[in-house]
Amino acid sequence: MMSAKRSEGLTGRHVLIGVLAFFGTVFLANGIFLYSALSTYTGVVADEPYRKGLHYNKRIAAAERQESLGWSAETKLVPEEGLSLVLRDRNGRPVSGLFVSGVVGRPSTNRHDRKVTLIEVEPGRYAAPIEELSPGAWLVDLQAVWIGTGDKEPVYRLRKREWVKS
């Protein structure tokens, strides 16, 4: 009887296993990256970008009106106290009589967004309590309208990044 001679070099079976292992690893890595990309941040920066784009010139005019007021704003975000806003006119006098509202959230996601309404606690100083402010970067996005005028167009807008320390 003759016995089959075993070859000791690279065979077709070795090449096939190597190619399948290589492409299997590539597909597995691509699948992991694809799942990670689709299940995290969507990349959407603005809601309704088309509508906002149509009103872009109005937004520029509103920014120029706000600039001409010469108001200065000071914000403070503290875990125990919440959000504080101090508005002063160009002469340093407090700006009173505004309804201030907006959103406080993380810059990278809207999962932690909190709607806030600030109440005037003394002339020119507005405050709102916010619970559970964890350390890190927060984005404060506020708008103010005059009380009692019926005008819904904000007279002042503020968008500022605040850091909460532990």
Side-chain angles (χ1 to χ4, degrees):
M1 267 198 165
M2 257 168 72
S3 64
K5 191 174 179 186
R6 192 171 181 195
S7 84
E8 297 197 10
L10 184 65
T11 64
R13 179 175 287 173
H14 294 122
V15 172
L16 176 63
I17 291 171
V19 168
L20 290 176
F22 171 78
F23 283 108
T25 304
V26 169
F27 285 130
L28 178 66
N30 283 342
I32 291 170
F33 287 132
L34 183 62
Y35 173 77
S36 176
L38 294 176
S39 64
T40 57
Y41 182 60
T42 63
V44 175
V45 176
D47 295 330
E48 303 176 349
Y50 179 72
R51 185 186 61 78
K52 286 183 179 179
L54 291 175
H55 300 291
Y56 186 66
N57 289 336
K58 288 181 184 177
R59 188 69 180 247
I60 291 173
E64 289 172 351
R65 278 194 309 275
Q66 178 174 321
E67 180 90 20
S68 71
L69 292 172
W71 291 1
S72 64
E74 213 176 285
T75 58
K76 189 195 291 187
L77 195 58
V78 180
E80 299 83 28
E81 300 171 22
L83 176 63
S84 172
L85 168 70
V86 177
L87 280 174
R88 299 192 184 284
D89 66 11
R90 70 181 63 206
N91 298 320
R93 293 185 303 252
V95 178
S96 194
L98 295 171
F99 174 75
V100 182
S101 63
V103 176
V104 175
R106 297 290 191 176
S108 58
T109 180
N110 62 358
R111 283 189 221 153
H112 305 286
D113 284 3
R114 299 158 191 197
K115 291 185 178 183
V116 293
T117 301
L118 285 79
I119 298 169
E120 190 168 11
V121 292
E122 60 186 54
R125 185 172 172 270
Y126 302 84
I130 301 175
E131 297 178 11
E132 301 176 18
L133 279 174
S134 56
W138 290 87
L139 189 62
V140 177
D141 191 2
L142 302 174
Q143 51 187 11
V145 295
W146 290 113
I147 294 174
T149 62
D151 190 12
K152 303 248 186 219
E153 190 64 31
V155 68
Y156 192 81
R157 292 179 193 261
L158 173 77
R159 188 172 171 93
K160 184 177 179 186
R161 189 176 293 221
E162 289 283 334
W163 293 92
V164 173
K165 297 178 183 174
S166 56

